[in-house]
Amino acid sequence: MRWTKLVRKALTFTALAAGIGALATGFSASRQTAAAEASYPPIGNFVEVPGGRVHYVQEGSGPHVILLHGAGGNLREFTLDLMDRLTDRYTVTAFDRPGHGYTDRVPGIDTRATATEGDTPLQQATMLRAAAAQIGIEAPIVVGHSFGGIVAMGWALQGLDSTSPQDASGIVSIAGVAMPWPGDLGWFYTYNGSALGGAVLVPLLAGFAPQSMVDSAIADTFAPQEPTPGYAAYIGAPLTIRPESIRANARQVNTLRPHVVEMAKRYPELTLPIEFLHGSADTIVPPDVHSQEVIKIVPSARLTMLDGIGHMPHQNDPEAAVAAIDRAATRAGLR
């Protein structure tokens, strides 16, 4: 009887401590989220689409160019530099992809802390095409970096079964995901994309991730180059480690591969101009797995390799990114 009482007391204290810990973690995550959104508020406009709203920035005049950021990013990725290099001859629209920045998740996606469902590339393209229609974008060159590359390919594939004014005139994939890859994605996506990780690990990261962890992640993304001066301060990294943003990103990446497998089956049907821009030193989205394989099966796809450049060509060699967009526009008859 005595041991039973002791066990009960121990369990009670353990549950109480766990509850207090959860409350403290939740409070810290909420406080960090509020601080992130105060420091990095929306810099563009919002458009309502079925099921939610999409955040975008649009500048310039001329044929339409759409910019889609990569995993864990937001549209600030492009407003830092690349957009200004294009607006003298294009109407350029940078979107926050679903679940990132200030754009809502795809309608119908389970967003509970223990959910594991990710917004697929085709679902994201559908939501962003709806936004493009609302703001008058037609026949765009769709540019995608990293994960944005596979969303751009999804945008192109939807044109195979569509006669929409929002169908892409051309695609530019900058270090873009395009083909199935071997191996796993590492612990960050595996655990944060799981039910347990979404409920337990994500709030801890959101509430207590040190700045050194953020700086290290940025440095790894730019390697072997150094991050663009002012990048960390401008990009709004704290937006990326809000709980809902971590969950959305991890789930999208964690569930991506089966969708890429199916999408790649239709690539040979594509005839629109496709320009791949890839750094030879990119170890995050290796060119030999992605762009170098696509050009073997899609006659309209061309690849420009940048010697020694890593995963951020549009930051480390923006002139090359602009040239790729110009080539796509010229091939599409827009220039």
Side-chain angles (χ1 to χ4, degrees), residues 30-80:
S30 296
R31 184 179 59 188
Q32 296 287 10
T33 294
E37 293 176 354
S39 297
Y40 299 95
I43 59 174
N45 298 308
F46 289 92
V47 59
E48 295 290 335
V49 299
R53 65 178 188 169
V54 174
H55 179 227
Y56 71 97
V57 169
Q58 186 177 81
E59 297 179 6
S61 61
H64 286 278
V65 170
I66 289 172
L67 304 175
L68 305 177
H69 62 82
N74 60 65
L75 57 76
R76 287 171 176 264
E77 177 69 40
F78 297 113
T79 60
L80 174 62

Side-chain angles (χ1 to χ4, degrees), residues 147-238:
F147 195 114
I150 194 62
V151 178
M153 293 299 286
W155 197 304
L157 289 176
Q158 289 179 333
L160 295 174
D161 305 312
S162 166
T163 55
S164 166
Q166 285 69 53
D167 290 344
S169 291
I171 299 296
V172 178
S173 179
I174 301 174
V177 175
M179 296 291 281
W181 58 89
D184 59 34
L185 294 164
W187 74 267
F188 183 88
Y189 293 114
T190 301
Y191 288 110
N192 287 323
S194 70
L196 181 61
V200 178
L201 184 57
V202 166
L204 287 170
L205 287 172
F208 303 107
Q211 184 61 42
S212 60
M213 179 178 175
V214 175
D215 292 340
S216 177
I218 292 174
D220 289 345
T221 302
F222 272 85
Q225 283 73 44
E226 293 294 319
T228 301
Y231 181 88
Y234 179 85
I235 199 63

Side-chain angles (χ1 to χ4, degrees), residues 89-264:
R89 57 198 183 282
Y90 300 107
T91 300
V92 185
T93 306
F95 284 117
D96 276 337
R97 287 194 296 103
H100 300 268
Y102 288 96
T103 292
D104 292 334
R105 298 286 298 274
V106 165
I109 290 288
D110 189 346
T111 60
R112 291 175 298 175
T114 55
T116 59
E117 185 179 7
D119 317 64
T120 75
L122 291 173
Q123 288 174 326
Q124 293 188 51
T126 297
M127 186 173 183
L128 296 176
R129 281 167 66 105
Q134 292 274 25
I135 58 178
I137 295 175
E138 295 186 358
I141 300 295
V142 182
V143 182
H145 170 245
S146 196
F147 195 114
I150 194 62
V151 178
M153 293 299 286
W155 197 304
L157 289 176
Q158 289 179 333
L160 295 174
D161 305 312
S162 166
T163 55
S164 166
Q166 285 69 53
D167 290 344
S169 291
I171 299 296
V172 178
S173 179
I174 301 174
V177 175
M179 296 291 281
W181 58 89
D184 59 34
L185 294 164
W187 74 267
F188 183 88
Y189 293 114
T190 301
Y191 288 110
N192 287 323
S194 70
L196 181 61
V200 178
L201 184 57
V202 166
L204 287 170
L205 287 172
F208 303 107
Q211 184 61 42
S212 60
M213 179 178 175
V214 175
D215 292 340
S216 177
I218 292 174
D220 289 345
T221 302
F222 272 85
Q225 283 73 44
E226 293 294 319
T228 301
Y231 181 88
Y234 179 85
I235 199 63
L239 295 174
T240 300
I241 55 174
R242 294 172 298 176
E244 293 309 313
S245 297
I246 298 175
R247 292 184 182 117
N249 185 51
R251 293 167 189 176
Q252 288 172 11
V253 175
N254 210 38
T255 60
L256 177 60
R257 191 180 187 281
H259 301 292
V260 178
V261 170
E262 292 304 311
M263 290 171 63

Side-chain angles (χ1 to χ4, degrees), residues 259-302:
H259 301 292
V260 178
V261 170
E262 292 304 311
M263 290 171 63
K265 295 176 182 177
R266 298 200 68 186
Y267 288 172
E269 301 176 49
L270 295 171
T271 58
L272 79 173
I274 301 175
E275 293 282 338
F276 283 96
L277 185 68
H278 229 131
S280 65
D282 187 348
T283 59
I284 295 175
V285 180
D288 62 320
V289 174
H290 295 276
S291 54
Q292 290 177 8
E293 290 300 307
V294 177
I295 62 172
K296 296 176 183 178
I297 60 174
V298 181
S300 65
R302 300 177 181 175

